[in-house]
Amino acid sequence: MSASLVNLVRHTVNFQKILTCAGAYGGTVVQQPVRFASNKHYDQRGRKARRKNTTIPLIHKILDHKAPDMDTPDKVRMHMKQHGILPRREFNDPIDITCTNEIFDQYLPPEGDGKSSLLSLQKGKDLFQGGLSKGKNLKDRRKLKEYDTAYDEKSFAEMAQSQLIKTYTLLQDVKSNEDELHQLVTNLAYPKLVFGLEFKTFRWKFVESIEPPRVVHLRTSKMLSQDNLYAQVTVRCHTKQILAIYDRFGRLMYGSEVVPRDVLEYVVFEKHIVNMYGEWRLHSKITPKWLPPQAPQINTQIKPMVHDREELEKKLQQLGSGDKIEAEETDKDEAIETR
């Protein structure tokens, strides 16, 4: 009988295991079939040789793409094949079909909107440019009404502003309102809205609307296929708001809870129009390039203690500040907090 056949019989035959049970059975012999597979080699004569036959892995040098001998992709590929290195797998981010990752044909707000006069030259140029894009707005509006017959610009602008107010109100407690926020904003806008609010206190209040909201831009576009359509509507909201942000120490970082401010916003809302259960959600906000820089936030820091007065003056001069220290010496062990 060949060795392979002996090995096959050894692993497939049902062996009988004899158990001798005493006590209640009175020494009766009970036979119970047991099937098992041995991992031992069928030929025991070569045990010592097989024990010595071990594989020692070869330690290869770390692959450095910037090395002079790895200047071409062919050399890198040859090095990886010689040492048995598998190529690196590139993991792409999953595609989210519930929303897009950009703004279609972004609306350009006219410079000085909300402040400039209608008689100014720049205002006339902006109105002329807006008239050129009006034809495309009408074309996309007809496309949108094929899927959403109840769409109306006036009612939509009011709905968009109320949804924006509700979103800002829910941001005051992100942890409790996380599920409701996902229903009001897209997956693109949610990380931007909640960024930095984990260790801060956000206070917001709507005062009044300076101008009625209105739709200024509308675009439709496809993604991945011709039938997968999305619609984006840009709404102009000119309101008066109260905003205050406190840090984790309870110190005011930005804004005020007493003084309201006039805020002009261009908010983009998006909807997956081919989805019968699709809803309008806040997608992004447009920040004009001509907008002046925002006031910096006031951070709470600990002023380091410098034992040498002359050394501190030199550091201030290096930073471009010629102010001298006129305050009296403070206790070295006390940390001075400045805002």
Side-chain angles (χ1 to χ4, degrees):
M1 186 179 293
S2 63
S4 59
L5 184 59
V6 171
N7 190 24
L8 178 63
V9 172
R10 182 181 179 88
H11 288 78
T12 56
V13 172
N14 291 334
F15 292 90
Q16 301 293 330
K17 185 176 181 181
I18 302 176
L19 301 177
T20 304
C21 301
Y25 295 97
T28 306
V29 177
V30 180
Q31 295 183 351
Q32 180 181 1
V34 178
R35 183 175 181 176
F36 63 92
S38 176
N39 59 353
K40 293 183 180 179
H41 198 274
Y42 66 92
D43 189 2
Q44 298 296 324
R45 289 176 295 180
R47 288 185 297 177
K48 293 183 180 180
R50 288 191 296 270
R51 190 183 304 117
K52 296 179 181 179
N53 188 16
T54 57
T55 303
I56 301 176
L58 299 176
I59 302 176
H60 58 83
K61 63 178 182 180
I62 300 176
L63 181 61
D64 186 8
H65 294 274
K66 297 182 180 179
D69 56 341
M70 297 294 170
D71 53 350
T72 61
D74 294 337
K75 293 182 179 180
V76 175
R77 180 174 173 270
M78 186 61 65
H79 173 82
M80 297 177 70
K81 289 187 68 175
Q82 289 177 356
H83 297 282
I85 306 175
L86 295 176
R88 184 178 58 183
R89 294 184 60 185
E90 296 182 359
F91 295 93
N92 298 324
D93 295 335
I95 300 176
D96 185 9
I97 63 172
T98 61
C99 67
T100 60
N101 59 352
E102 60 181 357
I103 303 177
F104 312 139
D105 191 11
Q106 181 174 323
Y107 174 70
L108 300 178
E111 186 173 355
D113 189 12
K115 295 182 180 180
S116 62
S117 173
L118 292 173
L119 302 178
S120 62
L121 180 61
Q122 184 64 31
K123 190 70 175 181
K125 292 181 179 179
D126 295 332
L127 291 175
F128 177 73
Q129 293 294 334
L132 296 178
S133 62
K134 189 174 181 180
K136 197 169 184 180
N137 286 339
L138 293 174
K139 178 183 176 181
D140 291 332
R141 187 181 297 113
R142 287 195 297 266
K143 189 71 174 179
L144 174 59
K145 286 192 174 183
E146 292 179 5
Y147 298 91
D148 189 0
T149 56
Y151 173 78
D152 179 68
E153 285 192 351
K154 186 175 181 180
S155 59
F156 177 83
E158 296 175 355
M159 182 275 297
Q161 181 170 323
S162 62
Q163 186 169 334
L164 180 65
I165 295 172
K166 186 177 181 181
T167 302
Y168 286 157
T169 305
L170 294 176
L171 283 177
Q172 299 182 83
D173 190 359
V174 178
K175 291 184 178 180
S176 302
N177 305 319
E178 184 176 358
D179 295 337
E180 195 169 357
L181 280 171
H182 277 291
Q183 298 177 1
L184 298 175
V185 301
T186 60
N187 294 339
L188 177 69
Y190 181 81
K192 299 178 183 179
L193 285 174
V194 302
F195 177 76
L197 295 180
E198 184 178 1
F199 301 106
K200 296 181 179 64
T201 303
F202 181 82
R203 293 287 178 263
W204 185 88
K205 183 180 179 182
F206 175 76
V207 180
E208 62 177 353
S209 180
I210 300 177
E211 297 182 44
R214 57 186 175 90
V215 176
V216 294
H217 198 67
L218 191 151
R219 288 292 182 269
T220 59
S221 181
K222 60 182 182 297
M223 185 174 72
L224 299 178
S225 64
Q226 297 290 338
D227 300 333
N228 193 27
L229 294 176
Y230 296 83
Q232 291 183 356
V233 180
T234 305
V235 182
R236 178 184 182 272
C237 300
H238 195 188
T239 58
K240 185 173 290 187
Q241 309 171 5
I242 291 178
L243 172 65
I245 302 177
Y246 298 89
D247 60 8
R248 59 178 179 171
F249 303 105
R251 301 178 183 273
L252 183 65
M253 296 182 62
Y254 183 81
S256 173
E257 286 195 72
V258 180
V259 181
R261 299 182 63 180
D262 297 346
V263 180
L264 179 61
E265 298 174 291
Y266 295 92
V267 190
V268 181
F269 289 84
E270 186 182 80
K271 181 181 180 181
H272 193 196
I273 56 178
V274 296
N275 184 6
M276 61 182 301
Y277 301 106
E279 296 181 355
W280 290 102
R281 296 187 297 172
L282 193 151
H283 185 65
S284 182
K285 289 178 66 176
I286 298 176
T287 303
K289 295 182 179 180
W290 48 264
L291 197 68
Q294 190 178 12
Q297 297 181 356
I298 304 174
N299 298 323
T300 301
Q301 299 177 353
I302 298 178
K303 183 177 180 180
M305 294 298 299
V306 180
H307 302 286
D308 192 357
R309 189 184 186 90
E310 296 180 357
E311 182 181 353
L312 180 59
E313 291 181 356
K314 290 180 180 179
K315 289 185 177 181
L316 290 175
Q317 291 177 359
Q318 292 176 358
L319 295 174
S321 175
D323 297 338
K324 301 295 182 180
I325 303 175
E326 299 179 356
E328 297 181 356
E329 292 288 337
T330 56
D331 191 0
K332 296 181 179 180
D333 299 332
E334 180 182 1
I336 303 176
E337 295 186 358
T338 60
R339 296 178 61 237

